[in-house]
Amino acid sequence: GTNPAVKGLRLASIETDYSDIRFWYDADGNLVKFTGEYSGNVYNVTYNPFEINYEDDNEKVRVYNVKFTKEGYIKSFTLEEESTEYDEYENYVETDEFIYNDGFLVKMVGDFSEIYESISSKGKGTMTLKWVNGNVTAVEVESVGGDGKSASSVGTGTTVFEYNGIQNNYKQFTKPMVLDGGDCVSPLMYLGFFGKACEMLPSVVTKSSVYDEKYGGLTYKYLREEKHWY
């Protein structure tokens, strides 16, 4: 359903650092296509069943097996990406499940498998959101992956949100609130497919992440911290 606060208007575009996200609708107001958050790819949306598709000479992306809650939020989906760029074959499959509490997204659990040339790897991840009085205060992310032999990757991340009392009048997700769901999934968060947005607009967002990666006998460790003011 349409958010009553926006009086029937629908989100048309968002300017981002990477590429402008655009949304197109049919005469009944149903989403029919949109551009990816990073790539600028135009993804087509079809219904009964709900699917998202993109295809060009080198790449094929499909979101399917989409299940919804009774409120219309996405409960689970499968994402498959296939590419043959520079004669290198890659296939990636991810399955995610989303858990809500009173309409607020509280947890995401996912697993993935990847084939790159002849190397296969798989992994899993969780994202946990903490809410206080209708506002998300922290997001914790954990991921583990590898090929079961010489390559492995472990990642943890924390995002902390601070507020200074500015109301989110349209009850809509804005850039600081959107969690990275990848090129063709993140844009749906702005449209309310992943539950209710915060009551207030964040004023400071602090992100920190640590990655431990091993390839053969080599170990890499990445630490990244960033802070954004709005």
Side-chain angles (χ1 to χ4, degrees):
T2 306
N3 180 341
V6 298
K7 298 180 172 55
L9 294 172
R10 295 187 184 273
L11 189 58
S13 63
I14 300 165
E15 282 186 36
T16 77
D17 295 341
Y18 308 99
S19 61
D20 290 356
I21 301 173
R22 298 189 179 277
F23 301 94
W24 291 268
Y25 306 88
D26 64 16
D28 296 322
N30 296 311
L31 181 69
V32 289
K33 58 182 180 173
F34 62 92
T35 49
E37 174 135 33
Y38 307 109
S39 67
N41 292 346
V42 176
Y43 294 97
N44 292 300
V45 181
T46 52
Y47 295 85
N48 301 317
F50 184 92
E51 278 195 17
I52 300 168
N53 283 280
Y54 169 80
E55 191 170 353
D56 65 20
D57 292 343
N58 302 315
E59 189 183 11
K60 207 174 179 176
V61 181
R62 183 175 170 229
V63 177
Y64 60 101
N65 282 347
V66 185
K67 295 185 172 63
F68 292 90
T69 67
K70 61 180 190 298
E71 296 84 8
Y73 307 138
I74 289 179
K75 188 160 70 172
S76 60
F77 65 76
T78 302
L79 163 71
E80 183 166 9
E81 298 179 7
E82 200 169 25
S83 70
T84 49
E85 210 161 5
Y86 310 117
D87 293 329
E88 292 175 345
Y89 176 77
E90 186 173 4
N91 179 272
Y92 176 85
V93 180
E94 178 182 324
T95 303
D96 293 321
E97 186 183 344
F98 302 86
I99 298 154
Y100 300 88
N101 181 11
D102 194 27
F104 294 106
L105 178 63
V106 292
K107 194 166 190 179
M108 185 210 85
V109 181
D111 58 63
F112 70 88
S113 62
E114 186 172 25
I115 298 168
Y116 181 73
E117 292 293 81
S118 58
I119 302 165
S120 64
S121 59
K122 59 183 183 176
K124 57 186 179 178
T126 60
M127 178 171 66
T128 308
L129 293 82
K130 186 180 178 191
W131 295 82
V132 177
N133 298 329
N135 294 299
V136 66
T137 55
V139 178
E140 303 275 349
V141 178
E142 289 182 14
S143 64
V144 180
D147 63 0
K149 298 176 205 148
S150 60
S152 69
S153 166
V154 177
T156 57
T158 304
T159 303
V160 176
F161 296 82
E162 297 172 48
Y163 301 87
N164 63 3
I166 298 171
Q167 291 296 310
N168 180 12
N169 293 329
Y170 296 106
K171 300 293 183 280
Q172 192 149 11
F173 279 95
T174 61
K175 187 65 190 162
M177 303 176 200
V178 170
L179 308 163
D180 189 4
D183 192 55
C184 70
V185 175
S186 290
L188 299 181
M189 201 165 266
Y190 295 106
L191 302 182
F193 278 87
F194 291 98
K196 297 178 189 172
C198 302
E199 291 288 321
M200 291 191 286
L201 297 171
S203 57
V204 184
V205 179
T206 309
K207 299 180 180 183
S208 59
S209 53
V210 179
Y211 288 96
D212 271 313
E213 298 187 352
K214 293 184 179 68
Y215 297 100
L218 300 173
T219 300
Y220 302 91
K221 190 162 189 165
Y222 306 94
L223 171 65
R224 184 174 178 185
E225 294 186 295
E226 51 186 89
K227 195 164 189 170
H228 303 264
W229 288 263
Y230 297 91

